[in-house]
C-alpha cells in the first residue's frame, strides 16, 4: 500500500509542474500585458511598474523567479489590488468556497448515496424509478438553471429562504449548497445504484444469503463496501467539478468566495491573481484526485496487498 | 430426512413461461450422498436453490409441491423462518470458489459469520471453532492464514474454506452445487475425497449437484437423473451404472470417456518438430516461463494429446506452434520449414496449412458476422474460391460439420454451444489444412454434446487426413482420440508415451497422480 | 451443381444481427424513442432556423420592451423587445453546434488514439496512455476558463478546448475495447487464418467496438453542451451579438424576478435537449448491452 501511495504521489509531481508551467506561460503569452489594456499609461510609468513586478526580465527568468516564490508558498502580488497579495485574496475567499464545497459534498454523498442504494435494492420497481428519475432531473438541470429556479421558487414566490449572501442571514447557505450539490448527488445516485447492482449479482452475495443472514446484513456487511468503490473513486473528479461549479453558484448567490474572485479576476485581467488561483486550485484538485484514488485502492484488499506492505 | 414431493418451479419472463422444474420428487437420506445429475438447463440447480428460497422471485415462481425437512415443509416457511434454517440446518457449497467468497472480507470473518449469527457465540469462541475447522479441511497453518483475504488462496484452498464455512454450524444437510467443476483434476479428486470423508465422519446427508456422472460415481450413494426439468431415473449408484433403464441415462453413461482409440499407430515421419521451445512472458519481476525448454514431434497423420493442468503451458505451446504468441527461443519445424523464422508473407501462406480450434465457442466466433461470412472468409482470403463460387463451398462445409444449410445466414448468438463449435471446426477445416491444433475443444460443452463433437473430430480427421495436436486437461477425453500423449507440468514435459502405454505403465509420479485423479474409477470397475 | 446450392443460400433463413436486435430493443424503450424524436425535431429546427424563425435575429422593438408570452410573441420578448422564440432558435444553433462539433473532435482524436494504443500494445501503448493519464489529472475546467480569458472568447477555440477535454475518456474507452477484443478468440482465429492487421481491425475489431463508442458519444454531447452553457453563463463562452442557450439563461437569471419567462424558456430548451440525449444514451447502452459506460 505504501508503495502504491508513493508511486501515485510521485506521479502527481510532474502533473503539478505541468500545471504551473502551462498556466504561467499561457498567462504571459496573453495578448496585451496587464498595464497596456485599458488606460493609456505614460511609457515611463509603465516601465517603472513593469520593473517593479519584474516584467522587464526575460520570460524564462521570470518563470524561475515565480517557481522560487511558489516554493516558499508565495503566489505574488495582485496587479489589480495594489498592496494586496494573491495569498491574502485566496485566504479571504477560499474558506467560504471550502465551506460551500463541503456542504455540497455532504448533500451529494448523503442524498445521492442513499437514493442509489435504496433504488438498487428493488430494481425496476417504483422504489428504483422514482429516485432515478429525480437523479435524471438533477443531471439535466444544470446548476446555472437550478440556482435561479430555486431562487424563484423558494426565495421569491414562497419567501422561505434568503437568496443571496453567505453567513449574513440564517438559512442563506441552504440554497447554494443544494444548487451546487444537486448535480453530483445525481451522479452519485446513479453510480452507487450501478455499483450496488453489480455487487448484488455477485456469487458471494448468494453465499451470504445461503448462510441465513438477514437481507439488511447482506447489504451492509457484504455489498456496501464493494458497491461504494466506484463512488469513492468518483469523489476526486467530483471535487474538481464542485470547485469549478462554485464559480457559477457563487456568482448566482453573490457569495464572496474564491470562485467569484476568480471570475472577476478573469474579467479584470488580473494576471497574477488568475495565475495564483489557477495554481492553487489545480494543486488542490490533483491532491484530491490522489486521495480519492488511494482511498478507493485501500478499500480493495487485492490492490492493497498487491503493492506490498499494508494488509 | 429431506423429502421433495411434486416440486414444480417456473420462470415467468416477457417471452413467456419457462417450466424449469416439472413435478419432481426425490429424497435425501441422512448419512447418504445423493447426487442430482443433469446437463446445463436441466433444472437441477433451480430445484435445489428453490428449496432454500434462493431463487429470485420474480421471475422465479414455485408452482407447487412440498419439501419436507424434518417434518417441516420448507416451501411453506416465510423468509424469516427459512433464514433460520439456512446456514444452520442446511448449508451450501457453490461451484466457483473464486467468486463465492467476499473479496472484501477476511476468510476468518466470513467463516465465523454463520456461527456468530445463528448461535450468538462470542468472537473468541467462534474464532477457535473456525481455526479447528480450517485445520480439519486441510488448510495449512490456519492461525496465520485466517486473517487473509480470499485472493491470497488458490482455487482448491478457497473451496476448502467454503466447505469449512458450510460445516461450521454442523448442519444436517449439505447441498453442494458442482463443487469441483471449476478446479483442476488433481484438486478435484482431493476435494471430492475431503467431502466424502467429512460426510462419513459427521454422518450427515449430502445433496450433490453435478453435470458429470463420472465425478459423482466415486462418492454418491443415490443418483437422480434430470433432463429438461424432469426426473427421468432414480436409483442407487450400482443399479444405475449396471442397469440404467432410461435412454437418456444410458446416453450419459456412454458419454463417460472409457477406453482408448482402437486404431493401431501409423508409423510415419514427423510433420511438426518442436525443439527446445521456450515461450516466456514479460512481467514486472522475473519473466513467467510459460513454456520452458520443451521438445517433441508430431507424426504425420497422428493425433498427439497434450495434457496438463491449468498453468502447465499447454495452451501456450499450441499458440506458439502457430505463432499466435511470440516465441522466446527454440525452433518449430513444420514440414521442414522453420515456423519461428518466417516473415509475415511466408507465414500467411503457411497459415492455410495449419489451423486452430479454440476452447470457447462463444468467444471464438465474431458475433457480428453470419456463419456464411465466417466460413467464406478463409476461402476468399487464400484464393481458394472467388466471390461467385464460394457459396457452394460454404454449404459443403456446413454439410461436413453437420449443420443445417438453412442456417447459413444466421449469427453466432442464434446457435447452441455445440453448434457453434461445429462452425468453428468448419472454419478451421475450410482451407483443408494438414495440421490442426485443437485447444480444449470440448471442455466448455455438456457431456453428451462433448461426445458428439469428439466423434465429429474423429470422423473429419480421418476424412481430411489431418495431423492434430489435441490439448486438454482431461486425460479421459484425450485417451479417446490421441495416439500418443505428452504430459506437461509447469511448462516442462514430464512424460511422453503411446496412449495405451501411458495408461498402463505411467513412469512418472506426476502422471500417476493425474491418472488416479480421473473421476469415475468406480464406474470403470463395475 | 452450384445452381441449386446458390438458391439454397438465397432461401436460407435470414438471421437477426446484433444491430437489428439492438434496434428492436431500443424501439421498445419509449423514453429513448421519445428522446430520439425530440432531438431530431430540435436539430431540424436548428437547421431551418433562418427560414422559419418568426422574426429577424437582430430585430428589436425598444418601445415594446419585455412582454410575457402572447399571440404575436409565443414565448414573449426581452427588454429590447426581441422575440424570445427567435432568440432561442438561433441560440440553439450555436449550442447544438458546439455539442456536435466538439464531440466530433473528441471522437476522431480519441478513437484514433485509443485504437492505435490498444492495437500496438507494449511500449508505444504505455507511452500514449501515460500522456492521457497526465492530461487526465489536469484540472481542465479551470484551464478552459483560463484559455477563454487569455485568448478572448473565440468559438473555434471553444470547440477545440472542449474537444480536447473529452477525447481523453474516448481514448480510454476505445483502448480498453480494442485490448479486450484483441484477446478474444475470434481475433486470434482471424490471425491464425492469416488476415492482415488492417483487415482484422476493419472486419473484426471496429464493428465490435462500435457499440460502446456510440453510447459514449451520445452521452458526451450533453456534457459538452453543459460545458458551453457553463462558460457562456460566466460570460466566458459565446459572445454577443451571437447567442446560445447558456447566454440566454444568464440574461434570464439577471431579471428573473420581473421577467421569469426569459429564464424559463431557454432553460426548458436546454433541459429538454439534455434529457433527450441522456435518455437516448441510456437506451442505447441497454440496447447494445454496454457495461460501465459512464455510470
Amino acid at each position: 500500500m505504501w508503495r502504491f501511495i508513493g508511486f501515485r504521489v510521485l506521479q502527481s509531481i510532474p502533473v503539478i509542474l505541468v500545471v504551473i508551467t502551462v498556466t504561467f506561460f499561457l498567462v504571459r503569452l496573453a495578448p496585451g500585458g496587464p498595464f497596456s489594456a485599458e488606460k493609456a499609461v505614460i511609457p515611463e510609468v509603465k516601465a517603472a511598474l513593469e520593473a517593479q513586478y519584474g516584467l522587464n526580465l526575460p520570460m524564462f527568468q521570470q518563470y524561475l523567479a515565480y517557481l522560487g516564490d511558489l516554493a516558499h508558498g508565495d503566489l505574488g502580488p495582485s496587479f489589480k489590488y495594489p498592496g494586496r497579495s494573491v495569498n491574502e485574496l485566496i485566504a479571504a475567499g477560499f474558506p467560504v468556497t471550502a465551506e460551500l464545497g463541503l456542504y455540497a459534498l455532504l448533500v451529494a454523498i448523503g442524498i445521492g448515496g442513499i437514493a442509489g442504494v435504496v433504488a438498487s435494492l428493488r430494481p425496476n420497481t417504483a422504489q428504483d424509478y422514482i429516485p432515478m428519475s429525480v437523479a435524471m432531473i438533477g443531471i439535466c438541470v444544470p446548476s446555472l438553471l437550478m440556482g435561479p429556479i430555486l431562487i424563484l421558487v423558494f426565495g421569491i414566490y414562497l419567501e422561505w429562504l434568503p437568496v443571496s449572501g453567505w453567513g449574513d442571514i440564517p438559512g442563506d447557505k441552504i440554497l447554494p449548497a443544494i444548487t451546487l450539490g444537486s448535480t453530483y448527488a445525481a451522479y452519485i445516485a446513479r453510480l452507487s445504484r450501478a455499483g450496488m447492482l453489480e455487487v448484488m449479482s455477485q456469487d458471494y452475495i448468494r453465499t451470504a444469503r445461503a448462510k441465513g443472514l438477514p437481507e439488511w446484513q447482506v447489504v451492509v456487511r457484504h455489498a456496501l463496501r464493494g458497491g461504494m468503490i466506484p463512488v469513492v473513486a468518483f469523489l476526486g473528479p467530483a471535487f474538481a467539478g464542485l470547485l469549478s461549479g462554485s464559480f457559477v453558484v457563487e456568482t448566482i448567490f453573490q457569495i464572496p468566495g474564491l470562485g467569484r474572485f476568480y471570475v472577476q479576476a478573469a474579467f479584470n485581467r488580473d494576471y497574477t491573481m488568475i495565475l495564483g488561483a489557477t495554481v492553487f486550485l489545480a494543486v488542490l484538485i490533483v491532491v484530491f484526485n490522489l486521495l480519492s484514488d488511494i482511498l478507493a485502492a485501500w478499500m480493495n484488499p487485492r490492490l492493497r496487498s498487491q503493492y506490498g506492505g499494508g494488509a | 430426512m429431506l423429502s421433495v414431493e411434486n416440486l414444480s418451479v417456473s420462470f415467468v419472463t416477457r417471452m413467456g413461461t419457462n417450466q424449469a422444474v416439472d413435478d419432481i420428487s426425490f429424497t435425501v437420506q441422512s448419512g447418504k450422498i445423493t447426487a442430482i445429475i443433469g446437463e446445463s438447463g436441466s433444472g437441477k440447480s433451480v430445484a435445489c436453490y428453490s428449496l432454500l428460497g434462493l431463487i429470485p422471485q420474480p421471475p422465479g415462481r414455485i408452482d407447487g409441491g412440498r419439501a419436507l425437512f424434518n417434518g417441516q415443509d420448507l416451501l411453506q416457511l416465510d423468509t424469516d423462518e427459512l433464514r433460520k434454517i439456512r446456514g444452520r440446518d442446511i448449508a451450501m457449497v457453490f461451484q466457483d470458489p473464486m467468486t463465492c467468497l467476499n473479496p472484501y472480507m477476511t476468510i476468518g470473518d466470513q467463516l465465523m459469520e454463520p456461527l456468530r449469527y445463528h448461535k450468538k457465540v462470542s468472537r473468541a469462541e467462534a474464532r477457535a471453532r473456525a481455526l479447528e475447522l480450517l485445520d480439519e479441511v486441510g488448510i495449512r497453518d490456519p492461525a496465520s492464514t485466517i486473517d487473509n483475504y480470499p485472493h491470497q488462496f488458490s482455487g482448491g484452498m478457497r473451496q476448502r474454506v467454503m466447505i469449512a464455512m458450510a460445516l461450521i454450524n454442523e448442519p444436517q444437510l449439505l447441498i453442494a452445487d458442482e463443487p469441483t467443476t471449476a478446479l483442476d483434476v488433481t484438486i478435484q479428486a482431493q476435494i471430492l475425497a475431503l467431502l466424502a470423508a467429512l460426510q462419513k465422519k459427521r454422518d450427515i446427508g449430502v445433496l450433490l449437484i453435478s453435470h458429470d456422472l463420472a465425478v459423482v460415481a466415486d462418492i454418491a450413494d443415490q443418483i437422480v437423473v434430470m433432463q429438461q426439468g424432469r426426473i427421468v431415473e432414480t436409483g442407487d449408484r450400482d443399479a444405475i451404472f449396471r442397469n440404467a433403464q432410461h435412454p437418456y441415462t444410458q446416453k450419459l453413461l456412454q458419454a463417460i470417456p472409457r477406453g482408448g482409440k482402437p486404431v493401431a499407430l501409423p508409423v510415419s515421419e514427423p510433420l511438426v518438430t518442436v525443439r527446445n521451445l521456450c515461450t516466456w512472458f514479460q512481467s514486472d519481476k522475473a519473466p513467467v516461463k510459460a513454456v520452458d525448454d520443451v521438445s517433441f514431434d508430431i507424426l504425420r497423420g497422428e493425433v498427439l494429446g497434450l495434457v496438463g493442468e491449468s498453468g502447465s503451458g499447454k495452451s501456450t505451446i499450441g499458440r506458439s506452434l502457430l505463432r499466435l504468441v511470440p516465441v522466446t527461443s527454440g525452433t518449430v519445424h513444420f514440414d521442414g520449414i522453420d515456423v519461428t523464422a518466417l516473415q509475415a508473407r511466408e507465414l500467411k501462406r503457411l497459415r492455410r496449412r495449419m489451423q486452430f480450434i479454440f476452447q470457447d465457442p462463444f468467444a471464438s466466433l465474431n458475433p457480428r458476422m453470419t456463419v456464411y461470412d465466417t466460413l467464406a472468409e478463409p476461402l476468399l482470403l487464400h484464393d481458394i474460391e472467388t466471390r461467385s463460387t464460394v457459396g457452394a463451398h460454404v454449404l459443403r462445409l456446413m454439410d461436413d460439420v453437420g449443420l443445417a444449410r438453412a442456417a447459413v445466414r444466421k449469427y453466432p448468438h442464434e446457435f447452441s454451444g455445440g453448434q457453434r463449435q461445429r462452425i468453428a471446426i468448419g472454419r478451421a477445416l475450410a482451407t483443408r489444412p494438414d495440421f490442426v491444433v485443437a485447444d480444449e475443444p470440448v471442455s466448455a460443452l455438456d457431456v453428451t454434446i462433448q461426445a458428439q463433437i469428439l466423434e465429429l473430430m474423429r470422423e473429419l480427421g480421418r476424412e481430411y487426413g489431418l495431423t492434430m495436436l489435441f490439448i486438454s486437461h482431461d486425460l479421459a477425453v484425450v485417451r479417446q482420440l490421441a495416439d500418443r500423449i505428452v504430459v506437461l507440468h509447469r511448462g516442462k514435459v514430464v512424460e511422453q508415451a503411446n496412449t495405451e502405454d501411458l495408461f498402463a505403465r505411467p513412469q512418472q509420479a506426476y502422471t500417476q497422480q493425474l491418472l488416479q485423479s480421473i473421476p469415475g474409477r468406480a464406474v470403470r470397475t463395475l | 451443381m452450384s445452381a441449386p446450392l446458390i438458391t439454397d443460400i438465397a432461401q436460407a433463413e435470414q438471421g437477426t444481427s446484433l444491430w437489428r436486435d439492438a434496434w428492436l430493443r431500443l424501439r421498445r424503450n419509449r423514453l429513448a424513442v421519445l428522446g430520439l424524436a425530440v432531438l431530431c425535431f430540435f436539430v431540424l429546427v436548428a437547421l431551418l432556423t433562418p427560414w422559419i424563425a418568426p422574426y429577424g435575429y437582430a430585430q428589436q422593438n425598444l418601445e415594446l420592451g419585455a412582454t410575457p408570452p402572447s399571440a404575436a410573441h409565443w414565448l414573449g420578448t426581452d427588454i429590447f423587445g426581441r422575440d424570445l422564440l427567435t432568440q432561442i432558435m438561433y441560440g440553439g444553433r450555436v449550442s447544438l453546434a458546439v455539442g456536435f462539433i466538439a464531440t466530433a473532435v473528441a471522437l476522431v482524436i480519441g478513437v484514433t488514439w485509443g485504437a492505435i494504443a490498444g492495437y500496438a500494445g507494449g511500449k508505444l501503448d504505455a507511452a500514449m496512455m501515460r500522456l492521457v493519464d497526465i492530461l487526465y489529472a489536469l484540472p481542465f475546467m479551470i484551464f478552459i476558463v483560463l484559455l477563454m480569458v487569455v485568448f478572448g472568447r473565440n468559438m473555434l477555440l471553444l470547440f477545440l478546448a472542449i474537444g480536447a477535454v473529452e477525447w481523453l475518456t474516448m481514448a480510454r474507452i476505445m483502448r480498453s475495447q480494442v485490448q479486450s477484443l484483441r484477446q478474444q478468440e475470434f481475433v486470434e482465429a482471424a490471425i491464425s487464418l492469416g488476415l492482415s492487421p488492417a483487415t482484422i481491425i476493419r472486419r473484426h475489431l471496429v464493428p465490435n467496438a462500435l457499440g460502446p463508442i456510440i453510447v459514449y458519444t451520445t452521452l458526451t454531447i450533453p456534457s459538452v453542451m453543459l460545458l458551453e452553457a457553463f462558460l457562456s453563463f460566466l460570460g466566458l463562452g459565446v459572445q454577443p451579438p451571437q447567442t446560445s442557450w447558456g447566454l440566454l439563461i444568464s440574461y434570464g437569471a439577471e431579471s428573473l424576478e420581473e421577467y421569469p419567462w426569459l429564464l424559463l424558456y431557454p432553460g426548458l430548451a436546454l433541459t429538454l435537449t439534455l434529457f433527450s440525449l441522456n435518455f437516448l444514451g441510456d437506451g442505447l447502452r441497454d440496447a447494445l448491452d454496454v457495461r460501465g459506460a459512464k455510470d
Side-chain angles (χ1 to χ4, degrees), chain B residues 319 351 358 360 363 366-368 377 382 395 405-406 409 411 413, chain C residues 5 8 13 15-17 185-186 188 191-193 203-204 207-208:
Chain B
R319 284 172 162 77
R351 289 214 185 280
F358 294 90
D360 184 356
N366 185 338
R368 308 215 180 261
E377 189 167 55
H382 291 286
L395 291 180
R405 289 181 167 195
R409 290 269 182 218
Y411 289 85
H413 67 271
Chain C
L5 289 170
D8 266 8
E13 308 165 40
T16 341
S17 78
E185 289 182 345
F186 71 83
E188 267 192 295
I191 296 172
S192 73
L193 287 179
R203 273 179 73 97
H204 294 277
N208 284 290

Short mmCIF file of all heavy atoms in Angstrom, two decimals, chain B residues 319 351 358 360 363 366-368 377 382 395 405-406 409 411 413, chain C residues 5 8 13 15-17 185-186 188 191-193 203-204 207-208:
data_model
loop_
_atom_site.label_atom_id
_atom_site.label_comp_id
_atom_site.label_asym_id
_atom_site.label_seq_id
_atom_site.Cartn_x
_atom_site.Cartn_y
_atom_site.Cartn_z
N ARG B 319 -0.34 -22.30 -29.13
CA ARG B 319 -0.29 -20.98 -29.77
C ARG B 319 1.11 -20.69 -30.32
O ARG B 319 1.25 -20.03 -31.35
CB ARG B 319 -0.71 -19.90 -28.77
CG ARG B 319 -2.22 -19.88 -28.55
CD ARG B 319 -2.61 -18.93 -27.42
NE ARG B 319 -4.02 -18.59 -27.46
CZ ARG B 319 -5.01 -19.38 -27.07
NH1 ARG B 319 -4.73 -20.60 -26.62
NH2 ARG B 319 -6.27 -18.99 -27.15
N ARG B 351 -0.19 -20.42 -43.13
CA ARG B 351 -1.38 -20.48 -42.27
C ARG B 351 -2.51 -21.28 -42.93
O ARG B 351 -3.36 -21.83 -42.25
CB ARG B 351 -1.87 -19.07 -41.94
CG ARG B 351 -0.95 -18.32 -40.99
CD ARG B 351 -1.75 -17.40 -40.08
NE ARG B 351 -0.90 -16.57 -39.22
CZ ARG B 351 -0.33 -17.00 -38.11
NH1 ARG B 351 -0.50 -18.26 -37.73
NH2 ARG B 351 0.41 -16.19 -37.38
N PHE B 358 -10.54 -23.35 -31.15
CA PHE B 358 -10.44 -22.77 -29.82
C PHE B 358 -11.39 -23.43 -28.83
O PHE B 358 -12.33 -24.13 -29.19
CB PHE B 358 -10.74 -21.27 -29.89
CG PHE B 358 -9.71 -20.52 -30.66
CD1 PHE B 358 -9.84 -20.33 -32.03
CD2 PHE B 358 -8.59 -20.01 -30.03
CE1 PHE B 358 -8.90 -19.65 -32.75
CE2 PHE B 358 -7.64 -19.32 -30.75
CZ PHE B 358 -7.79 -19.14 -32.11
N ASP B 360 -13.46 -21.86 -26.43
CA ASP B 360 -14.76 -21.28 -26.08
C ASP B 360 -15.53 -20.93 -27.34
O ASP B 360 -15.23 -19.95 -28.00
CB ASP B 360 -14.51 -20.02 -25.24
CG ASP B 360 -15.80 -19.40 -24.76
OD1 ASP B 360 -16.87 -19.91 -25.15
OD2 ASP B 360 -15.73 -18.42 -24.01
N ALA B 363 -16.67 -17.31 -27.64
CA ALA B 363 -15.73 -16.21 -27.87
C ALA B 363 -15.00 -16.35 -29.20
O ALA B 363 -14.42 -15.40 -29.68
CB ALA B 363 -14.71 -16.15 -26.73
N ASN B 366 -16.84 -14.29 -34.38
CA ASN B 366 -17.16 -12.86 -34.39
C ASN B 366 -18.67 -12.70 -34.32
O ASN B 366 -19.39 -13.12 -35.23
CB ASN B 366 -16.60 -12.23 -35.66
CG ASN B 366 -16.80 -10.73 -35.68
OD1 ASN B 366 -17.66 -10.19 -34.99
ND2 ASN B 366 -15.99 -10.05 -36.47
N PRO B 367 -19.17 -12.07 -33.24
CA PRO B 367 -20.63 -12.00 -33.05
C PRO B 367 -21.35 -11.18 -34.12
O PRO B 367 -22.56 -11.25 -34.23
CB PRO B 367 -20.79 -11.35 -31.68
CG PRO B 367 -19.49 -10.67 -31.40
CD PRO B 367 -18.45 -11.45 -32.13
N ARG B 368 -20.62 -10.41 -34.88
CA ARG B 368 -21.28 -9.55 -35.88
C ARG B 368 -21.18 -10.11 -37.29
O ARG B 368 -21.47 -9.44 -38.26
CB ARG B 368 -20.70 -8.14 -35.83
CG ARG B 368 -20.73 -7.58 -34.43
CD ARG B 368 -21.00 -6.11 -34.37
NE ARG B 368 -21.02 -5.65 -33.00
CZ ARG B 368 -22.13 -5.46 -32.29
NH1 ARG B 368 -23.30 -5.66 -32.84
NH2 ARG B 368 -22.07 -5.05 -31.05
N GLU B 377 -14.72 -16.40 -45.18
CA GLU B 377 -13.54 -15.55 -45.01
C GLU B 377 -12.22 -16.27 -45.37
O GLU B 377 -11.46 -15.78 -46.20
CB GLU B 377 -13.49 -15.00 -43.60
CG GLU B 377 -12.42 -13.96 -43.40
CD GLU B 377 -12.60 -13.21 -42.09
OE1 GLU B 377 -12.67 -13.85 -41.04
OE2 GLU B 377 -12.67 -11.97 -42.13
N HIS B 382 -7.53 -16.94 -48.98
CA HIS B 382 -6.46 -17.74 -49.58
C HIS B 382 -6.75 -18.07 -51.04
O HIS B 382 -6.17 -19.02 -51.59
CB HIS B 382 -6.25 -19.01 -48.75
CG HIS B 382 -5.68 -18.74 -47.39
ND1 HIS B 382 -4.38 -18.39 -47.19
CD2 HIS B 382 -6.26 -18.72 -46.18
CE1 HIS B 382 -4.16 -18.19 -45.90
NE2 HIS B 382 -5.29 -18.37 -45.26
N LEU B 395 -21.61 -24.17 -48.25
CA LEU B 395 -22.68 -25.12 -47.95
C LEU B 395 -22.12 -26.54 -47.78
O LEU B 395 -22.59 -27.30 -46.93
CB LEU B 395 -23.73 -25.09 -49.05
CG LEU B 395 -24.55 -23.79 -49.10
CD1 LEU B 395 -25.58 -23.84 -50.21
CD2 LEU B 395 -25.25 -23.53 -47.76
N ARG B 405 -28.23 -26.40 -43.73
CA ARG B 405 -27.90 -25.37 -44.71
C ARG B 405 -28.74 -24.11 -44.52
O ARG B 405 -28.30 -23.01 -44.81
CB ARG B 405 -28.14 -25.89 -46.13
CG ARG B 405 -27.14 -26.92 -46.55
CD ARG B 405 -27.41 -27.39 -47.95
NE ARG B 405 -26.28 -28.13 -48.46
CZ ARG B 405 -26.10 -28.41 -49.74
NH1 ARG B 405 -26.98 -28.00 -50.63
NH2 ARG B 405 -25.04 -29.10 -50.12
N ALA B 406 -29.96 -24.30 -44.05
CA ALA B 406 -30.87 -23.16 -43.92
C ALA B 406 -30.36 -22.14 -42.91
O ALA B 406 -30.80 -21.00 -42.90
CB ALA B 406 -32.25 -23.64 -43.53
N ARG B 409 -27.31 -18.09 -42.93
CA ARG B 409 -27.36 -16.63 -42.80
C ARG B 409 -27.54 -16.19 -41.35
O ARG B 409 -27.84 -15.04 -41.08
CB ARG B 409 -28.53 -16.07 -43.62
CG ARG B 409 -28.33 -16.16 -45.10
CD ARG B 409 -27.66 -14.92 -45.62
NE ARG B 409 -27.50 -15.00 -47.06
CZ ARG B 409 -26.44 -14.55 -47.71
NH1 ARG B 409 -25.46 -14.00 -47.05
NH2 ARG B 409 -26.37 -14.65 -49.01
N TYR B 411 -26.57 -15.65 -37.19
CA TYR B 411 -25.43 -15.12 -36.43
C TYR B 411 -25.10 -16.06 -35.28
O TYR B 411 -25.97 -16.81 -34.82
CB TYR B 411 -25.78 -13.73 -35.91
CG TYR B 411 -25.82 -12.70 -37.00
CD1 TYR B 411 -26.98 -12.51 -37.75
CD2 TYR B 411 -24.70 -11.94 -37.31
CE1 TYR B 411 -27.02 -11.59 -38.79
CE2 TYR B 411 -24.73 -11.01 -38.33
CZ TYR B 411 -25.89 -10.83 -39.06
OH TYR B 411 -25.91 -9.92 -40.07
N HIS B 413 -24.90 -15.90 -32.10
CA HIS B 413 -25.71 -15.97 -30.88
C HIS B 413 -27.00 -16.74 -31.06
O HIS B 413 -27.69 -17.02 -30.09
CB HIS B 413 -26.00 -14.55 -30.35
CG HIS B 413 -26.89 -13.75 -31.25
ND1 HIS B 413 -26.41 -12.97 -32.27
CD2 HIS B 413 -28.24 -13.60 -31.29
CE1 HIS B 413 -27.41 -12.38 -32.90
NE2 HIS B 413 -28.54 -12.74 -32.32
N LEU C 5 -27.28 -24.97 -55.12
CA LEU C 5 -26.68 -24.52 -53.86
C LEU C 5 -26.89 -23.03 -53.66
O LEU C 5 -27.18 -22.57 -52.57
CB LEU C 5 -25.18 -24.83 -53.87
CG LEU C 5 -24.84 -26.30 -53.75
CD1 LEU C 5 -23.36 -26.52 -54.01
CD2 LEU C 5 -25.22 -26.82 -52.37
N ASP C 8 -30.12 -22.34 -52.43
CA ASP C 8 -30.15 -22.70 -51.01
C ASP C 8 -29.82 -21.48 -50.16
O ASP C 8 -30.46 -21.20 -49.15
CB ASP C 8 -29.12 -23.79 -50.71
CG ASP C 8 -29.76 -25.17 -50.79
OD1 ASP C 8 -30.93 -25.21 -51.22
OD2 ASP C 8 -29.10 -26.14 -50.43
N GLU C 13 -32.83 -18.98 -44.05
CA GLU C 13 -33.49 -18.05 -43.13
C GLU C 13 -32.56 -16.89 -42.85
O GLU C 13 -31.37 -17.08 -42.63
CB GLU C 13 -33.79 -18.72 -41.79
CG GLU C 13 -34.54 -20.01 -41.88
CD GLU C 13 -34.45 -20.75 -40.55
OE1 GLU C 13 -34.55 -20.08 -39.52
OE2 GLU C 13 -34.28 -21.97 -40.57
N GLY C 15 -30.82 -14.41 -40.61
CA GLY C 15 -30.53 -14.33 -39.17
C GLY C 15 -30.79 -12.93 -38.65
O GLY C 15 -30.95 -12.00 -39.42
N THR C 16 -30.86 -12.80 -37.33
CA THR C 16 -31.01 -11.47 -36.75
C THR C 16 -29.64 -11.02 -36.25
O THR C 16 -29.09 -11.63 -35.35
CB THR C 16 -31.94 -11.51 -35.52
OG1 THR C 16 -32.69 -12.70 -35.57
CG2 THR C 16 -32.82 -10.30 -35.47
N SER C 17 -29.12 -9.96 -36.84
CA SER C 17 -27.81 -9.49 -36.40
C SER C 17 -27.97 -8.78 -35.07
O SER C 17 -29.07 -8.42 -34.67
CB SER C 17 -27.21 -8.55 -37.43
OG SER C 17 -27.81 -7.28 -37.30
N GLU C 185 -11.00 -14.87 -28.65
CA GLU C 185 -10.52 -15.94 -29.51
C GLU C 185 -10.85 -15.70 -30.98
O GLU C 185 -10.14 -16.16 -31.85
CB GLU C 185 -11.08 -17.27 -29.02
CG GLU C 185 -10.44 -17.68 -27.70
CD GLU C 185 -10.93 -19.03 -27.20
OE1 GLU C 185 -11.95 -19.50 -27.71
OE2 GLU C 185 -10.27 -19.59 -26.31
N PHE C 186 -11.94 -14.94 -31.25
CA PHE C 186 -12.24 -14.78 -32.68
C PHE C 186 -11.21 -13.91 -33.39
O PHE C 186 -11.00 -14.07 -34.59
CB PHE C 186 -13.68 -14.30 -32.92
CG PHE C 186 -13.98 -12.87 -32.55
CD1 PHE C 186 -13.68 -11.84 -33.42
CD2 PHE C 186 -14.59 -12.57 -31.35
CE1 PHE C 186 -13.97 -10.54 -33.09
CE2 PHE C 186 -14.89 -11.27 -31.01
CZ PHE C 186 -14.57 -10.25 -31.89
N GLU C 188 -7.97 -13.98 -32.47
CA GLU C 188 -6.88 -14.95 -32.64
C GLU C 188 -7.16 -15.86 -33.83
O GLU C 188 -6.26 -16.18 -34.60
CB GLU C 188 -6.74 -15.81 -31.37
CG GLU C 188 -5.74 -15.26 -30.39
CD GLU C 188 -5.45 -16.30 -29.32
OE1 GLU C 188 -6.37 -16.64 -28.54
OE2 GLU C 188 -4.32 -16.78 -29.27
N ILE C 191 -6.29 -14.08 -36.88
CA ILE C 191 -4.83 -14.07 -37.08
C ILE C 191 -4.38 -15.41 -37.63
O ILE C 191 -3.60 -15.49 -38.58
CB ILE C 191 -4.10 -13.75 -35.76
CG1 ILE C 191 -4.45 -12.33 -35.29
CG2 ILE C 191 -2.59 -13.88 -35.94
CD1 ILE C 191 -3.93 -11.99 -33.92
N SER C 192 -4.92 -16.48 -37.05
CA SER C 192 -4.45 -17.80 -37.49
C SER C 192 -4.95 -18.13 -38.88
O SER C 192 -4.40 -18.99 -39.55
CB SER C 192 -4.85 -18.88 -36.48
OG SER C 192 -6.21 -19.15 -36.57
N LEU C 193 -5.99 -17.44 -39.36
CA LEU C 193 -6.40 -17.64 -40.74
C LEU C 193 -5.44 -16.93 -41.68
O LEU C 193 -5.39 -17.24 -42.87
CB LEU C 193 -7.80 -17.07 -40.99
CG LEU C 193 -8.98 -17.85 -40.41
CD1 LEU C 193 -10.27 -17.13 -40.72
CD2 LEU C 193 -9.02 -19.25 -40.95
N ARG C 203 -12.61 -5.56 -40.12
CA ARG C 203 -13.70 -6.53 -40.13
C ARG C 203 -14.05 -7.04 -38.73
O ARG C 203 -15.19 -7.40 -38.47
CB ARG C 203 -13.33 -7.72 -41.01
CG ARG C 203 -13.68 -7.52 -42.45
CD ARG C 203 -13.26 -8.74 -43.25
NE ARG C 203 -14.10 -9.90 -43.02
CZ ARG C 203 -15.10 -10.25 -43.83
NH1 ARG C 203 -15.38 -9.52 -44.86
NH2 ARG C 203 -15.82 -11.32 -43.58
N HIS C 204 -13.04 -7.17 -37.87
CA HIS C 204 -13.29 -7.86 -36.61
C HIS C 204 -13.29 -6.93 -35.39
O HIS C 204 -14.01 -7.18 -34.44
CB HIS C 204 -12.29 -8.99 -36.41
CG HIS C 204 -12.44 -10.09 -37.40
ND1 HIS C 204 -13.35 -11.10 -37.25
CD2 HIS C 204 -11.83 -10.32 -38.58
CE1 HIS C 204 -13.28 -11.93 -38.28
NE2 HIS C 204 -12.37 -11.48 -39.12
N PRO C 207 -16.26 -3.23 -35.89
CA PRO C 207 -17.69 -3.48 -35.71
C PRO C 207 -18.04 -3.87 -34.28
O PRO C 207 -19.12 -3.57 -33.80
CB PRO C 207 -17.97 -4.65 -36.66
CG PRO C 207 -16.87 -4.62 -37.65
CD PRO C 207 -15.68 -4.08 -36.93
N ASN C 208 -17.11 -4.53 -33.59
CA ASN C 208 -17.41 -4.95 -32.23
C ASN C 208 -17.16 -3.87 -31.19
O ASN C 208 -17.65 -3.95 -30.08
CB ASN C 208 -16.61 -6.20 -31.88
CG ASN C 208 -17.20 -7.43 -32.53
OD1 ASN C 208 -18.27 -7.89 -32.15
ND2 ASN C 208 -16.54 -7.94 -33.55
#
